[in-house]
PDB file of all heavy atoms in Angstrom:
ATOM      1  N   LEU A 208      97.958  95.305  56.824  1.00 89.00           N
ATOM      2  CA  LEU A 208      96.706  95.384  56.041  1.00 89.00           C
ATOM      3  C   LEU A 208      96.299  96.810  55.682  1.00 89.00           C
ATOM      4  O   LEU A 208      95.186  97.025  55.221  1.00 89.00           O
ATOM      5  CB  LEU A 208      95.521  94.727  56.795  1.00 89.00           C
ATOM      6  CG  LEU A 208      95.605  93.217  57.099  1.00 89.00           C
ATOM      7  CD1 LEU A 208      94.267  92.747  57.703  1.00 89.00           C
ATOM      8  CD2 LEU A 208      95.868  92.422  55.837  1.00 89.00           C
ATOM      9  N   ALA A 209      97.223  97.764  55.903  1.00 85.00           N
ATOM     10  CA  ALA A 209      96.831  99.174  55.712  1.00 85.00           C
ATOM     11  C   ALA A 209      96.243  99.398  54.313  1.00 85.00           C
ATOM     12  O   ALA A 209      95.296 100.174  54.151  1.00 85.00           O
ATOM     13  CB  ALA A 209      98.018 100.088  55.941  1.00 85.00           C
ATOM     14  N   ASP A 210      96.821  98.741  53.300  1.00 85.00           N
ATOM     15  CA  ASP A 210      96.344  98.994  51.949  1.00 85.00           C
ATOM     16  C   ASP A 210      95.523  97.835  51.389  1.00 85.00           C
ATOM     17  O   ASP A 210      95.195  97.808  50.199  1.00 85.00           O
ATOM     18  CB  ASP A 210      97.538  99.274  51.029  1.00 85.00           C
ATOM     19  CG  ASP A 210      98.327 100.470  51.521  1.00 85.00           C
ATOM     20  OD1 ASP A 210      97.702 101.491  51.855  1.00 85.00           O
ATOM     21  OD2 ASP A 210      99.577 100.375  51.619  1.00 85.00           O
ATOM     22  N   ALA A 211      95.193  96.865  52.243  1.00 90.00           N
ATOM     23  CA  ALA A 211      94.467  95.687  51.746  1.00 90.00           C
ATOM     24  C   ALA A 211      92.990  96.042  51.485  1.00 90.00           C
ATOM     25  O   ALA A 211      92.470  97.002  52.015  1.00 90.00           O
ATOM     26  CB  ALA A 211      94.546  94.578  52.792  1.00 90.00           C
ATOM     27  N   ALA A 212      92.354  95.199  50.662  1.00 93.00           N
ATOM     28  CA  ALA A 212      90.921  95.382  50.405  1.00 93.00           C
ATOM     29  C   ALA A 212      90.146  95.109  51.683  1.00 93.00           C
ATOM     30  O   ALA A 212      90.636  94.422  52.582  1.00 93.00           O
ATOM     31  CB  ALA A 212      90.478  94.424  49.305  1.00 93.00           C
ATOM     32  N   GLY A 213      88.933  95.640  51.746  1.00 94.00           N
ATOM     33  CA  GLY A 213      88.083  95.384  52.903  1.00 94.00           C
ATOM     34  C   GLY A 213      88.457  96.251  54.095  1.00 94.00           C
ATOM     35  O   GLY A 213      89.185  97.242  53.963  1.00 94.00           O
ATOM     36  N   PHE A 214      87.968  95.854  55.263  1.00 97.00           N
ATOM     37  CA  PHE A 214      88.103  96.695  56.452  1.00 97.00           C
ATOM     38  C   PHE A 214      88.677  95.939  57.639  1.00 97.00           C
ATOM     39  O   PHE A 214      88.511  96.380  58.782  1.00 97.00           O
ATOM     40  CB  PHE A 214      86.735  97.314  56.795  1.00 97.00           C
ATOM     41  CG  PHE A 214      86.165  98.143  55.681  1.00 97.00           C
ATOM     42  CD1 PHE A 214      85.359  97.576  54.719  1.00 97.00           C
ATOM     43  CD2 PHE A 214      86.499  99.487  55.571  1.00 97.00           C
ATOM     44  CE1 PHE A 214      84.856  98.329  53.673  1.00 97.00           C
ATOM     45  CE2 PHE A 214      86.006 100.262  54.531  1.00 97.00           C
ATOM     46  CZ  PHE A 214      85.183  99.674  53.577  1.00 97.00           C
ATOM     47  N   ASP A 215      89.313  94.786  57.374  1.00 97.00           N
ATOM     48  CA  ASP A 215      89.839  94.005  58.496  1.00 97.00           C
ATOM     49  C   ASP A 215      91.153  94.600  59.029  1.00 97.00           C
ATOM     50  O   ASP A 215      91.788  95.411  58.361  1.00 97.00           O
ATOM     51  CB  ASP A 215      90.065  92.551  58.073  1.00 97.00           C
ATOM     52  CG  ASP A 215      88.751  91.794  57.969  1.00 97.00           C
ATOM     53  OD1 ASP A 215      87.752  92.273  58.559  1.00 97.00           O
ATOM     54  OD2 ASP A 215      88.712  90.735  57.326  1.00 97.00           O
ATOM     55  N   PHE A 216      91.493  94.150  60.222  1.00 97.00           N
ATOM     56  CA  PHE A 216      92.727  94.602  60.876  1.00 97.00           C
ATOM     57  C   PHE A 216      93.589  93.389  61.194  1.00 97.00           C
ATOM     58  O   PHE A 216      93.093  92.268  61.289  1.00 97.00           O
ATOM     59  CB  PHE A 216      92.425  95.289  62.223  1.00 97.00           C
ATOM     60  CG  PHE A 216      91.519  96.477  62.119  1.00 97.00           C
ATOM     61  CD1 PHE A 216      90.140  96.341  62.226  1.00 97.00           C
ATOM     62  CD2 PHE A 216      92.057  97.749  61.910  1.00 97.00           C
ATOM     63  CE1 PHE A 216      89.300  97.445  62.144  1.00 97.00           C
ATOM     64  CE2 PHE A 216      91.227  98.855  61.837  1.00 97.00           C
ATOM     65  CZ  PHE A 216      89.844  98.707  61.940  1.00 97.00           C
ATOM     66  N   SER A 217      94.886  93.624  61.380  1.00 96.00           N
ATOM     67  CA  SER A 217      95.791  92.579  61.848  1.00 96.00           C
ATOM     68  C   SER A 217      96.910  93.258  62.640  1.00 96.00           C
ATOM     69  O   SER A 217      97.462  94.257  62.204  1.00 96.00           O
ATOM     70  CB  SER A 217      96.385  91.841  60.631  1.00 96.00           C
ATOM     71  OG  SER A 217      97.512  91.103  61.048  1.00 96.00           O
ATOM     72  N   PHE A 218      97.206  92.716  63.812  1.00 95.00           N
ATOM     73  CA  PHE A 218      98.255  93.337  64.636  1.00 95.00           C
ATOM     74  C   PHE A 218      99.352  92.366  65.042  1.00 95.00           C
ATOM     75  O   PHE A 218     100.306  92.777  65.707  1.00 95.00           O
ATOM     76  CB  PHE A 218      97.628  93.980  65.880  1.00 95.00           C
ATOM     77  CG  PHE A 218      96.740  95.148  65.546  1.00 95.00           C
ATOM     78  CD1 PHE A 218      95.358  95.040  65.630  1.00 95.00           C
ATOM     79  CD2 PHE A 218      97.284  96.351  65.104  1.00 95.00           C
ATOM     80  CE1 PHE A 218      94.522  96.094  65.292  1.00 95.00           C
ATOM     81  CE2 PHE A 218      96.467  97.418  64.763  1.00 95.00           C
ATOM     82  CZ  PHE A 218      95.088  97.301  64.861  1.00 95.00           C
ATOM     83  N   SER A 219      99.242  91.082  64.637  1.00 92.00           N
ATOM     84  CA  SER A 219     100.231  90.144  65.177  1.00 92.00           C
ATOM     85  C   SER A 219     101.609  90.374  64.524  1.00 92.00           C
ATOM     86  O   SER A 219     102.636  90.206  65.176  1.00 92.00           O
ATOM     87  CB  SER A 219      99.766  88.702  65.033  1.00 92.00           C
ATOM     88  OG  SER A 219      99.784  88.327  63.691  1.00 92.00           O
ATOM     89  N   GLY A 220     101.637  90.767  63.248  1.00 93.00           N
ATOM     90  CA  GLY A 220     102.912  91.043  62.584  1.00 93.00           C
ATOM     91  C   GLY A 220     103.617  92.223  63.225  1.00 93.00           C
ATOM     92  O   GLY A 220     104.859  92.250  63.386  1.00 93.00           O
ATOM     93  N   LEU A 221     102.840  93.184  63.631  1.00 94.00           N
ATOM     94  CA  LEU A 221     103.386  94.371  64.287  1.00 94.00           C
ATOM     95  C   LEU A 221     104.028  93.978  65.631  1.00 94.00           C
ATOM     96  O   LEU A 221     105.123  94.416  65.961  1.00 94.00           O
ATOM     97  CB  LEU A 221     102.251  95.382  64.490  1.00 94.00           C
ATOM     98  CG  LEU A 221     102.566  96.658  65.256  1.00 94.00           C
ATOM     99  CD1 LEU A 221     103.700  97.426  64.620  1.00 94.00           C
ATOM    100  CD2 LEU A 221     101.307  97.547  65.315  1.00 94.00           C
ATOM    101  N   LYS A 222     103.333  93.112  66.316  1.00 92.00           N
ATOM    102  CA  LYS A 222     103.843  92.635  67.612  1.00 92.00           C
ATOM    103  C   LYS A 222     105.187  91.918  67.425  1.00 92.00           C
ATOM    104  O   LYS A 222     106.143  92.148  68.172  1.00 92.00           O
ATOM    105  CB  LYS A 222     102.796  91.660  68.192  1.00 92.00           C
ATOM    106  CG  LYS A 222     103.163  91.046  69.509  1.00 92.00           C
ATOM    107  CD  LYS A 222     102.100  90.023  69.911  1.00 92.00           C
ATOM    108  CE  LYS A 222     102.052  88.850  68.956  1.00 92.00           C
ATOM    109  NZ  LYS A 222     100.908  87.967  69.107  1.00 92.00           N
ATOM    110  N   THR A 223     105.271  91.089  66.372  1.00 94.00           N
ATOM    111  CA  THR A 223     106.522  90.371  66.092  1.00 94.00           C
ATOM    112  C   THR A 223     107.635  91.367  65.763  1.00 94.00           C
ATOM    113  O   THR A 223     108.774  91.212  66.220  1.00 94.00           O
ATOM    114  CB  THR A 223     106.318  89.418  64.887  1.00 94.00           C
ATOM    115  OG1 THR A 223     105.148  88.640  65.149  1.00 94.00           O
ATOM    116  CG2 THR A 223     107.494  88.506  64.679  1.00 94.00           C
ATOM    117  N   ALA A 224     107.306  92.383  64.993  1.00 96.00           N
ATOM    118  CA  ALA A 224     108.314  93.394  64.624  1.00 96.00           C
ATOM    119  C   ALA A 224     108.812  94.138  65.864  1.00 96.00           C
ATOM    120  O   ALA A 224     110.004  94.403  66.002  1.00 96.00           O
ATOM    121  CB  ALA A 224     107.725  94.373  63.620  1.00 96.00           C
ATOM    122  N   VAL A 225     107.898  94.437  66.781  1.00 96.00           N
ATOM    123  CA  VAL A 225     108.300  95.116  68.016  1.00 96.00           C
ATOM    124  C   VAL A 225     109.210  94.191  68.826  1.00 96.00           C
ATOM    125  O   VAL A 225     110.251  94.608  69.355  1.00 96.00           O
ATOM    126  CB  VAL A 225     107.062  95.539  68.853  1.00 96.00           C
ATOM    127  CG1 VAL A 225     107.498  96.056  70.227  1.00 96.00           C
ATOM    128  CG2 VAL A 225     106.249  96.591  68.112  1.00 96.00           C
ATOM    129  N   ARG A 226     108.839  92.908  68.887  1.00 96.00           N
ATOM    130  CA  ARG A 226     109.652  91.970  69.661  1.00 96.00           C
ATOM    131  C   ARG A 226     111.080  91.865  69.087  1.00 96.00           C
ATOM    132  O   ARG A 226     112.056  91.851  69.822  1.00 96.00           O
ATOM    133  CB  ARG A 226     109.007  90.587  69.696  1.00 96.00           C
ATOM    134  CG  ARG A 226     109.893  89.601  70.468  1.00 96.00           C
ATOM    135  CD  ARG A 226     109.327  88.216  70.617  1.00 96.00           C
ATOM    136  NE  ARG A 226     108.070  88.197  71.321  1.00 96.00           N
ATOM    137  CZ  ARG A 226     106.961  87.636  70.870  1.00 96.00           C
ATOM    138  NH1 ARG A 226     106.970  87.051  69.697  1.00 96.00           N
ATOM    139  NH2 ARG A 226     105.865  87.656  71.570  1.00 96.00           N
ATOM    140  N   ARG A 227     111.145  91.846  67.743  1.00 96.00           N
ATOM    141  CA  ARG A 227     112.463  91.735  67.093  1.00 96.00           C
ATOM    142  C   ARG A 227     113.362  92.909  67.498  1.00 96.00           C
ATOM    143  O   ARG A 227     114.522  92.738  67.852  1.00 96.00           O
ATOM    144  CB  ARG A 227     112.268  91.689  65.581  1.00 96.00           C
ATOM    145  CG  ARG A 227     113.385  90.926  64.901  1.00 96.00           C
ATOM    146  CD  ARG A 227     113.076  90.642  63.440  1.00 96.00           C
ATOM    147  NE  ARG A 227     111.994  89.712  63.214  1.00 96.00           N
ATOM    148  CZ  ARG A 227     110.996  89.889  62.343  1.00 96.00           C
ATOM    149  NH1 ARG A 227     110.925  91.000  61.636  1.00 96.00           N
ATOM    150  NH2 ARG A 227     110.046  88.979  62.206  1.00 96.00           N
ATOM    151  N   VAL A 228     112.791  94.111  67.453  1.00 97.00           N
ATOM    152  CA  VAL A 228     113.581  95.295  67.835  1.00 97.00           C
ATOM    153  C   VAL A 228     113.913  95.226  69.327  1.00 97.00           C
ATOM    154  O   VAL A 228     115.067  95.429  69.728  1.00 97.00           O
ATOM    155  CB  VAL A 228     112.819  96.600  67.521  1.00 97.00           C
ATOM    156  CG1 VAL A 228     113.522  97.804  68.157  1.00 97.00           C
ATOM    157  CG2 VAL A 228     112.693  96.794  66.024  1.00 97.00           C
ATOM    158  N   ALA A 229     112.908  94.895  70.139  1.00 95.00           N
ATOM    159  CA  ALA A 229     113.124  94.873  71.586  1.00 95.00           C
ATOM    160  C   ALA A 229     114.215  93.877  71.977  1.00 95.00           C
ATOM    161  O   ALA A 229     115.010  94.125  72.870  1.00 95.00           O
ATOM    162  CB  ALA A 229     111.809  94.530  72.301  1.00 95.00           C
ATOM    163  N   ASP A 230     114.271  92.750  71.228  1.00 95.00           N
ATOM    164  CA  ASP A 230     115.272  91.717  71.549  1.00 95.00           C
ATOM    165  C   ASP A 230     116.682  92.140  71.107  1.00 95.00           C
ATOM    166  O   ASP A 230     117.666  91.543  71.530  1.00 95.00           O
ATOM    167  CB  ASP A 230     114.928  90.402  70.828  1.00 95.00           C
ATOM    168  CG  ASP A 230     113.772  89.703  71.534  1.00 95.00           C
ATOM    169  OD1 ASP A 230     113.420  90.121  72.648  1.00 95.00           O
ATOM    170  OD2 ASP A 230     113.194  88.768  70.922  1.00 95.00           O
ATOM    171  N   SER A 231     116.768  93.131  70.222  1.00 95.00           N
ATOM    172  CA  SER A 231     118.081  93.451  69.645  1.00 95.00           C
ATOM    173  C   SER A 231     118.729  94.694  70.265  1.00 95.00           C
ATOM    174  O   SER A 231     119.782  95.114  69.834  1.00 95.00           O
ATOM    175  CB  SER A 231     117.906  93.668  68.131  1.00 95.00           C
ATOM    176  OG  SER A 231     117.177  94.862  67.912  1.00 95.00           O
ATOM    177  N   VAL A 232     118.073  95.293  71.240  1.00 93.00           N
ATOM    178  CA  VAL A 232     118.625  96.511  71.832  1.00 93.00           C
ATOM    179  C   VAL A 232     118.735  96.362  73.351  1.00 93.00           C
ATOM    180  O   VAL A 232     118.055  95.518  73.949  1.00 93.00           O
ATOM    181  CB  VAL A 232     117.753  97.766  71.523  1.00 93.00           C
ATOM    182  CG1 VAL A 232     117.747  98.086  70.050  1.00 93.00           C
ATOM    183  CG2 VAL A 232     116.326  97.577  72.038  1.00 93.00           C
ATOM    184  N   ASP A 233     119.595  97.199  73.939  1.00 93.00           N
ATOM    185  CA  ASP A 233     119.618  97.291  75.404  1.00 93.00           C
ATOM    186  C   ASP A 233     118.695  98.433  75.793  1.00 93.00           C
ATOM    187  O   ASP A 233     118.852  99.556  75.326  1.00 93.00           O
ATOM    188  CB  ASP A 233     121.039  97.605  75.890  1.00 93.00           C
ATOM    189  CG  ASP A 233     121.958  96.405  75.683  1.00 93.00           C
ATOM    190  OD1 ASP A 233     121.469  95.266  75.807  1.00 93.00           O
ATOM    191  OD2 ASP A 233     123.143  96.629  75.330  1.00 93.00           O
ATOM    192  N   PHE A 234     117.715  98.120  76.639  1.00 91.00           N
ATOM    193  CA  PHE A 234     116.725  99.128  76.994  1.00 91.00           C
ATOM    194  C   PHE A 234     117.331 100.259  77.817  1.00 91.00           C
ATOM    195  O   PHE A 234     118.102 100.029  78.735  1.00 91.00           O
ATOM    196  CB  PHE A 234     115.616  98.507  77.861  1.00 91.00           C
ATOM    197  CG  PHE A 234     114.624  97.692  77.048  1.00 91.00           C
ATOM    198  CD1 PHE A 234     113.732  96.851  77.702  1.00 91.00           C
ATOM    199  CD2 PHE A 234     114.565  97.784  75.681  1.00 91.00           C
ATOM    200  CE1 PHE A 234     112.814  96.090  76.982  1.00 91.00           C
ATOM    201  CE2 PHE A 234     113.656  97.036  74.954  1.00 91.00           C
ATOM    202  CZ  PHE A 234     112.781  96.190  75.615  1.00 91.00           C
ATOM    203  N   ASP A 235     116.989 101.483  77.434  1.00 95.00           N
ATOM    204  CA  ASP A 235     117.092 102.598  78.360  1.00 95.00           C
ATOM    205  C   ASP A 235     115.819 103.415  78.152  1.00 95.00           C
ATOM    206  O   ASP A 235     115.019 103.086  77.277  1.00 95.00           O
ATOM    207  CB  ASP A 235     118.379 103.422  78.145  1.00 95.00           C
ATOM    208  CG  ASP A 235     118.458 104.033  76.754  1.00 95.00           C
ATOM    209  OD1 ASP A 235     117.380 104.298  76.163  1.00 95.00           O
ATOM    210  OD2 ASP A 235     119.575 104.263  76.255  1.00 95.00           O
ATOM    211  N   ASP A 236     115.617 104.450  78.935  1.00 94.00           N
ATOM    212  CA  ASP A 236     114.342 105.176  78.864  1.00 94.00           C
ATOM    213  C   ASP A 236     114.081 105.724  77.470  1.00 94.00           C
ATOM    214  O   ASP A 236     112.965 105.721  76.963  1.00 94.00           O
ATOM    215  CB  ASP A 236     114.343 106.338  79.873  1.00 94.00           C
ATOM    216  CG  ASP A 236     114.198 105.814  81.288  1.00 94.00           C
ATOM    217  OD1 ASP A 236     113.965 104.593  81.433  1.00 94.00           O
ATOM    218  OD2 ASP A 236     114.328 106.612  82.244  1.00 94.00           O
ATOM    219  N   ARG A 237     115.157 106.210  76.832  1.00 96.00           N
ATOM    220  CA  ARG A 237     115.051 106.800  75.494  1.00 96.00           C
ATOM    221  C   ARG A 237     114.524 105.749  74.490  1.00 96.00           C
ATOM    222  O   ARG A 237     113.564 105.982  73.755  1.00 96.00           O
ATOM    223  CB  ARG A 237     116.442 107.299  75.107  1.00 96.00           C
ATOM    224  CG  ARG A 237     116.672 107.820  73.753  1.00 96.00           C
ATOM    225  CD  ARG A 237     116.378 109.306  73.606  1.00 96.00           C
ATOM    226  NE  ARG A 237     115.037 109.474  73.087  1.00 96.00           N
ATOM    227  CZ  ARG A 237     114.189 110.401  73.446  1.00 96.00           C
ATOM    228  NH1 ARG A 237     114.496 111.260  74.385  1.00 96.00           N
ATOM    229  NH2 ARG A 237     112.987 110.481  72.938  1.00 96.00           N
ATOM    230  N   ILE A 238     115.164 104.585  74.512  1.00 97.00           N
ATOM    231  CA  ILE A 238     114.797 103.536  73.537  1.00 97.00           C
ATOM    232  C   ILE A 238     113.365 103.033  73.808  1.00 97.00           C
ATOM    233  O   ILE A 238     112.585 102.862  72.870  1.00 97.00           O
ATOM    234  CB  ILE A 238     115.821 102.375  73.585  1.00 97.00           C
ATOM    235  CG1 ILE A 238     117.089 102.842  72.882  1.00 97.00           C
ATOM    236  CG2 ILE A 238     115.273 101.118  72.945  1.00 97.00           C
ATOM    237  CD1 ILE A 238     118.206 101.828  72.835  1.00 97.00           C
ATOM    238  N   VAL A 239     113.045 102.846  75.060  1.00 97.00           N
ATOM    239  CA  VAL A 239     111.685 102.378  75.393  1.00 97.00           C
ATOM    240  C   VAL A 239     110.646 103.386  74.895  1.00 97.00           C
ATOM    241  O   VAL A 239     109.643 103.027  74.271  1.00 97.00           O
ATOM    242  CB  VAL A 239     111.540 102.137  76.925  1.00 97.00           C
ATOM    243  CG1 VAL A 239     110.091 101.974  77.312  1.00 97.00           C
ATOM    244  CG2 VAL A 239     112.340 100.899  77.331  1.00 97.00           C
ATOM    245  N   SER A 240     110.910 104.673  75.121  1.00 98.00           N
ATOM    246  CA  SER A 240     109.970 105.697  74.656  1.00 98.00           C
ATOM    247  C   SER A 240     109.880 105.711  73.139  1.00 98.00           C
ATOM    248  O   SER A 240     108.792 105.875  72.583  1.00 98.00           O
ATOM    249  CB  SER A 240     110.416 107.096  75.113  1.00 98.00           C
ATOM    250  OG  SER A 240     110.252 107.212  76.488  1.00 98.00           O
ATOM    251  N   ASP A 241     111.023 105.535  72.480  1.00 98.00           N
ATOM    252  CA  ASP A 241     111.020 105.568  71.006  1.00 98.00           C
ATOM    253  C   ASP A 241     110.269 104.354  70.437  1.00 98.00           C
ATOM    254  O   ASP A 241     109.524 104.475  69.462  1.00 98.00           O
ATOM    255  CB  ASP A 241     112.454 105.612  70.462  1.00 98.00           C
ATOM    256  CG  ASP A 241     113.114 106.985  70.727  1.00 98.00           C
ATOM    257  OD1 ASP A 241     112.381 107.913  71.118  1.00 98.00           O
ATOM    258  OD2 ASP A 241     114.337 107.084  70.538  1.00 98.00           O
ATOM    259  N   ILE A 242     110.483 103.178  71.037  1.00 98.00           N
ATOM    260  CA  ILE A 242     109.747 101.985  70.561  1.00 98.00           C
ATOM    261  C   ILE A 242     108.251 102.187  70.814  1.00 98.00           C
ATOM    262  O   ILE A 242     107.421 101.915  69.942  1.00 98.00           O
ATOM    263  CB  ILE A 242     110.252 100.688  71.237  1.00 98.00           C
ATOM    264  CG1 ILE A 242     111.715 100.417  70.869  1.00 98.00           C
ATOM    265  CG2 ILE A 242     109.383  99.500  70.851  1.00 98.00           C
ATOM    266  CD1 ILE A 242     112.331  99.191  71.554  1.00 98.00           C
ATOM    267  N   ALA A 243     107.911 102.661  72.013  1.00 98.00           N
ATOM    268  CA  ALA A 243     106.490 102.876  72.348  1.00 98.00           C
ATOM    269  C   ALA A 243     105.858 103.856  71.362  1.00 98.00           C
ATOM    270  O   ALA A 243     104.751 103.624  70.850  1.00 98.00           O
ATOM    271  CB  ALA A 243     106.358 103.388  73.785  1.00 98.00           C
ATOM    272  N   ALA A 244     106.560 104.938  71.069  1.00 98.00           N
ATOM    273  CA  ALA A 244     106.011 105.960  70.164  1.00 98.00           C
ATOM    274  C   ALA A 244     105.892 105.411  68.747  1.00 98.00           C
ATOM    275  O   ALA A 244     104.895 105.673  68.060  1.00 98.00           O
ATOM    276  CB  ALA A 244     106.889 107.203  70.202  1.00 98.00           C
ATOM    277  N   SER A 245     106.890 104.648  68.308  1.00 98.00           N
ATOM    278  CA  SER A 245     106.860 104.111  66.946  1.00 98.00           C
ATOM    279  C   SER A 245     105.750 103.065  66.812  1.00 98.00           C
ATOM    280  O   SER A 245     105.052 102.991  65.791  1.00 98.00           O
ATOM    281  CB  SER A 245     108.212 103.475  66.584  1.00 98.00           C
ATOM    282  OG  SER A 245     109.243 104.409  66.750  1.00 98.00           O
ATOM    283  N   PHE A 246     105.583 102.244  67.862  1.00 98.00           N
ATOM    284  CA  PHE A 246     104.523 101.231  67.861  1.00 98.00           C
ATOM    285  C   PHE A 246     103.146 101.915  67.830  1.00 98.00           C
ATOM    286  O   PHE A 246     102.273 101.582  67.037  1.00 98.00           O
ATOM    287  CB  PHE A 246     104.650 100.342  69.104  1.00 98.00           C
ATOM    288  CG  PHE A 246     103.369  99.641  69.472  1.00 98.00           C
ATOM    289  CD1 PHE A 246     102.992  98.486  68.811  1.00 98.00           C
ATOM    290  CD2 PHE A 246     102.556 100.150  70.467  1.00 98.00           C
ATOM    291  CE1 PHE A 246     101.777  97.850  69.125  1.00 98.00           C
ATOM    292  CE2 PHE A 246     101.358  99.533  70.785  1.00 98.00           C
ATOM    293  CZ  PHE A 246     100.962  98.380  70.113  1.00 98.00           C
TER     294      PHE A 246
END
Side-chain angles (χ1 to χ4, degrees):
L208 297 186
D210 301 314
F214 301 90
D215 285 342
F216 301 91
S217 164
F218 294 106
S219 71
L221 176 57
K222 179 184 65 192
T223 310
V225 172
R226 178 177 300 127
R227 208 169 293 133
V228 169
D230 285 348
S231 68
V232 294
D233 290 325
F234 283 167
D235 61 28
D236 287 353
R237 174 88 264 141
I238 285 180
V239 167
S240 289
D241 289 349
I242 296 177
S245 304
F246 158 80

